[in-house]
Amino acid sequence: MDLEARSLLPNVKAVLLAKLREYKSDLNNLKSEVKRIASGNLNPAARDQLLESGMADALTASADQRSRLMMTTERLNQTSDRIKDSRRTMLETEELGVSILQDLHSQRQALLHGNNTLHGVDDNIGKSKRILTAMSRRMSRNKWIVGIIIAVLIIAIALILYFKLAK
């Protein structure tokens, strides 16, 4: 932190360095208090102050710490259960998503197959229409040809009868 504070602008640098000195002095005070407490030369008043700042009875402090620890453990267990439930729900959702994607893929394949079949049928209908149109034209043409042949035969018969009767 000291290096970062020194690399900043001068107006910000002075404020941060002052705070840093204050924090360092607080840290040194706390370290010295921990050493004093760890040395074992504690009087009963200091011990009571250490055990929950002013609680008269060490057993009460211990029971209070134990109850807080139990509550914290219970909350941790509840949170773990919620995480497990969330994970299970996430896995179920993922499986459902995969299933839906597979269904969509199979439906897509069915639609593509149906589309290809429909295009094939459309092509066949187009060919059939052209064939029927050609057949209709041939039929009309054949009717005209037969009609002309009948007309020519009738005219030929009429001419033959006319010349035979006229002789």
Side-chain angles (χ1 to χ4, degrees), residues 76-89:
L76 183 62
N77 287 338
Q78 289 173 353
T79 304
S80 296
D81 290 342
R82 281 191 299 213
I83 289 173
K84 286 177 186 175
D85 288 343
S86 298
R87 181 170 173 75
R88 186 175 29 81
T89 303

PDB file of all heavy atoms in Angstrom, residues 76-89:
ATOM      1  N   LEU A  76     -24.822 -22.107   8.072  1.00  0.00           N
ATOM      2  CA  LEU A  76     -23.921 -22.663   7.067  1.00  0.00           C
ATOM      3  C   LEU A  76     -24.506 -23.940   6.472  1.00  0.00           C
ATOM      4  O   LEU A  76     -24.466 -24.148   5.252  1.00  0.00           O
ATOM      5  CB  LEU A  76     -22.545 -22.934   7.674  1.00  0.00           C
ATOM      6  CG  LEU A  76     -21.465 -23.440   6.739  1.00  0.00           C
ATOM      7  CD1 LEU A  76     -21.179 -22.415   5.651  1.00  0.00           C
ATOM      8  CD2 LEU A  76     -20.203 -23.741   7.521  1.00  0.00           C
ATOM      9  N   ASN A  77     -25.068 -24.791   7.321  1.00  0.00           N
ATOM     10  CA  ASN A  77     -25.702 -26.032   6.837  1.00  0.00           C
ATOM     11  C   ASN A  77     -26.909 -25.712   5.957  1.00  0.00           C
ATOM     12  O   ASN A  77     -27.116 -26.353   4.921  1.00  0.00           O
ATOM     13  CB  ASN A  77     -26.114 -26.913   8.007  1.00  0.00           C
ATOM     14  CG  ASN A  77     -24.925 -27.560   8.690  1.00  0.00           C
ATOM     15  OD1 ASN A  77     -23.858 -27.701   8.098  1.00  0.00           O
ATOM     16  ND2 ASN A  77     -25.089 -27.927   9.949  1.00  0.00           N
ATOM     17  N   GLN A  78     -27.711 -24.724   6.363  1.00  0.00           N
ATOM     18  CA  GLN A  78     -28.872 -24.349   5.553  1.00  0.00           C
ATOM     19  C   GLN A  78     -28.423 -23.807   4.201  1.00  0.00           C
ATOM     20  O   GLN A  78     -29.003 -24.137   3.162  1.00  0.00           O
ATOM     21  CB  GLN A  78     -29.711 -23.296   6.282  1.00  0.00           C
ATOM     22  CG  GLN A  78     -30.456 -23.831   7.477  1.00  0.00           C
ATOM     23  CD  GLN A  78     -31.130 -22.711   8.278  1.00  0.00           C
ATOM     24  OE1 GLN A  78     -30.935 -21.543   8.014  1.00  0.00           O
ATOM     25  NE2 GLN A  78     -31.924 -23.112   9.277  1.00  0.00           N
ATOM     26  N   THR A  79     -27.381 -23.004   4.224  1.00  0.00           N
ATOM     27  CA  THR A  79     -26.857 -22.462   2.969  1.00  0.00           C
ATOM     28  C   THR A  79     -26.317 -23.581   2.079  1.00  0.00           C
ATOM     29  O   THR A  79     -26.534 -23.581   0.865  1.00  0.00           O
ATOM     30  CB  THR A  79     -25.757 -21.429   3.262  1.00  0.00           C
ATOM     31  OG1 THR A  79     -26.284 -20.418   4.125  1.00  0.00           O
ATOM     32  CG2 THR A  79     -25.255 -20.781   1.987  1.00  0.00           C
ATOM     33  N   SER A  80     -25.641 -24.550   2.692  1.00  0.00           N
ATOM     34  CA  SER A  80     -25.132 -25.694   1.921  1.00  0.00           C
ATOM     35  C   SER A  80     -26.286 -26.474   1.305  1.00  0.00           C
ATOM     36  O   SER A  80     -26.205 -26.890   0.146  1.00  0.00           O
ATOM     37  CB  SER A  80     -24.311 -26.614   2.821  1.00  0.00           C
ATOM     38  OG  SER A  80     -23.170 -25.953   3.292  1.00  0.00           O
ATOM     39  N   ASP A  81     -27.367 -26.661   2.081  1.00  0.00           N
ATOM     40  CA  ASP A  81     -28.530 -27.367   1.550  1.00  0.00           C
ATOM     41  C   ASP A  81     -29.159 -26.596   0.388  1.00  0.00           C
ATOM     42  O   ASP A  81     -29.553 -27.190  -0.620  1.00  0.00           O
ATOM     43  CB  ASP A  81     -29.569 -27.586   2.658  1.00  0.00           C
ATOM     44  CG  ASP A  81     -29.112 -28.600   3.707  1.00  0.00           C
ATOM     45  OD1 ASP A  81     -28.172 -29.375   3.404  1.00  0.00           O
ATOM     46  OD2 ASP A  81     -29.689 -28.614   4.816  1.00  0.00           O
ATOM     47  N   ARG A  82     -29.228 -25.287   0.542  1.00  0.00           N
ATOM     48  CA  ARG A  82     -29.790 -24.477  -0.546  1.00  0.00           C
ATOM     49  C   ARG A  82     -28.916 -24.556  -1.785  1.00  0.00           C
ATOM     50  O   ARG A  82     -29.409 -24.619  -2.909  1.00  0.00           O
ATOM     51  CB  ARG A  82     -29.940 -23.025  -0.111  1.00  0.00           C
ATOM     52  CG  ARG A  82     -31.160 -22.786   0.748  1.00  0.00           C
ATOM     53  CD  ARG A  82     -31.394 -21.324   0.917  1.00  0.00           C
ATOM     54  NE  ARG A  82     -30.232 -20.744   1.586  1.00  0.00           N
ATOM     55  CZ  ARG A  82     -30.268 -19.745   2.420  1.00  0.00           C
ATOM     56  NH1 ARG A  82     -31.391 -19.152   2.678  1.00  0.00           N
ATOM     57  NH2 ARG A  82     -29.169 -19.291   2.986  1.00  0.00           N
ATOM     58  N   ILE A  83     -27.605 -24.578  -1.585  1.00  0.00           N
ATOM     59  CA  ILE A  83     -26.687 -24.701  -2.731  1.00  0.00           C
ATOM     60  C   ILE A  83     -26.868 -26.056  -3.400  1.00  0.00           C
ATOM     61  O   ILE A  83     -26.899 -26.155  -4.631  1.00  0.00           O
ATOM     62  CB  ILE A  83     -25.228 -24.471  -2.287  1.00  0.00           C
ATOM     63  CG1 ILE A  83     -25.011 -23.003  -1.936  1.00  0.00           C
ATOM     64  CG2 ILE A  83     -24.249 -24.911  -3.370  1.00  0.00           C
ATOM     65  CD1 ILE A  83     -23.663 -22.713  -1.326  1.00  0.00           C
ATOM     66  N   LYS A  84     -27.009 -27.117  -2.592  1.00  0.00           N
ATOM     67  CA  LYS A  84     -27.229 -28.450  -3.168  1.00  0.00           C
ATOM     68  C   LYS A  84     -28.544 -28.490  -3.933  1.00  0.00           C
ATOM     69  O   LYS A  84     -28.611 -29.059  -5.025  1.00  0.00           O
ATOM     70  CB  LYS A  84     -27.227 -29.502  -2.063  1.00  0.00           C
ATOM     71  CG  LYS A  84     -25.854 -29.798  -1.505  1.00  0.00           C
ATOM     72  CD  LYS A  84     -25.925 -30.797  -0.371  1.00  0.00           C
ATOM     73  CE  LYS A  84     -24.565 -30.974   0.290  1.00  0.00           C
ATOM     74  NZ  LYS A  84     -24.644 -31.843   1.468  1.00  0.00           N
ATOM     75  N   ASP A  85     -29.603 -27.894  -3.355  1.00  0.00           N
ATOM     76  CA  ASP A  85     -30.891 -27.858  -4.046  1.00  0.00           C
ATOM     77  C   ASP A  85     -30.790 -27.059  -5.349  1.00  0.00           C
ATOM     78  O   ASP A  85     -31.339 -27.468  -6.375  1.00  0.00           O
ATOM     79  CB  ASP A  85     -31.969 -27.236  -3.144  1.00  0.00           C
ATOM     80  CG  ASP A  85     -32.374 -28.143  -1.995  1.00  0.00           C
ATOM     81  OD1 ASP A  85     -32.084 -29.360  -2.072  1.00  0.00           O
ATOM     82  OD2 ASP A  85     -32.980 -27.628  -1.026  1.00  0.00           O
ATOM     83  N   SER A  86     -30.083 -25.959  -5.276  1.00  0.00           N
ATOM     84  CA  SER A  86     -29.905 -25.135  -6.483  1.00  0.00           C
ATOM     85  C   SER A  86     -29.128 -25.900  -7.544  1.00  0.00           C
ATOM     86  O   SER A  86     -29.463 -25.841  -8.729  1.00  0.00           O
ATOM     87  CB  SER A  86     -29.163 -23.842  -6.148  1.00  0.00           C
ATOM     88  OG  SER A  86     -29.896 -23.070  -5.247  1.00  0.00           O
ATOM     89  N   ARG A  87     -28.112 -26.631  -7.124  1.00  0.00           N
ATOM     90  CA  ARG A  87     -27.319 -27.424  -8.074  1.00  0.00           C
ATOM     91  C   ARG A  87     -28.175 -28.518  -8.700  1.00  0.00           C
ATOM     92  O   ARG A  87     -28.125 -28.734  -9.905  1.00  0.00           O
ATOM     93  CB  ARG A  87     -26.119 -28.018  -7.364  1.00  0.00           C
ATOM     94  CG  ARG A  87     -25.227 -28.842  -8.277  1.00  0.00           C
ATOM     95  CD  ARG A  87     -23.924 -29.213  -7.578  1.00  0.00           C
ATOM     96  NE  ARG A  87     -23.124 -30.125  -8.328  1.00  0.00           N
ATOM     97  CZ  ARG A  87     -22.402 -29.818  -9.395  1.00  0.00           C
ATOM     98  NH1 ARG A  87     -22.409 -28.582  -9.838  1.00  0.00           N
ATOM     99  NH2 ARG A  87     -21.691 -30.727 -10.025  1.00  0.00           N
ATOM    100  N   ARG A  88     -28.988 -29.186  -7.864  1.00  0.00           N
ATOM    101  CA  ARG A  88     -29.871 -30.229  -8.380  1.00  0.00           C
ATOM    102  C   ARG A  88     -30.870 -29.630  -9.374  1.00  0.00           C
ATOM    103  O   ARG A  88     -31.096 -30.185 -10.452  1.00  0.00           O
ATOM    104  CB  ARG A  88     -30.607 -30.911  -7.217  1.00  0.00           C
ATOM    105  CG  ARG A  88     -31.445 -32.096  -7.654  1.00  0.00           C
ATOM    106  CD  ARG A  88     -32.084 -32.857  -6.491  1.00  0.00           C
ATOM    107  NE  ARG A  88     -32.381 -32.100  -5.315  1.00  0.00           N
ATOM    108  CZ  ARG A  88     -33.462 -31.326  -5.140  1.00  0.00           C
ATOM    109  NH1 ARG A  88     -34.319 -31.184  -6.116  1.00  0.00           N
ATOM    110  NH2 ARG A  88     -33.662 -30.695  -4.000  1.00  0.00           N
ATOM    111  N   THR A  89     -31.435 -28.475  -9.026  1.00  0.00           N
ATOM    112  CA  THR A  89     -32.375 -27.812  -9.920  1.00  0.00           C
ATOM    113  C   THR A  89     -31.683 -27.422 -11.223  1.00  0.00           C
ATOM    114  O   THR A  89     -32.255 -27.565 -12.309  1.00  0.00           O
ATOM    115  CB  THR A  89     -32.958 -26.554  -9.242  1.00  0.00           C
ATOM    116  OG1 THR A  89     -33.580 -26.936  -8.017  1.00  0.00           O
ATOM    117  CG2 THR A  89     -33.963 -25.860 -10.135  1.00  0.00           C
TER     118      THR A  89
END
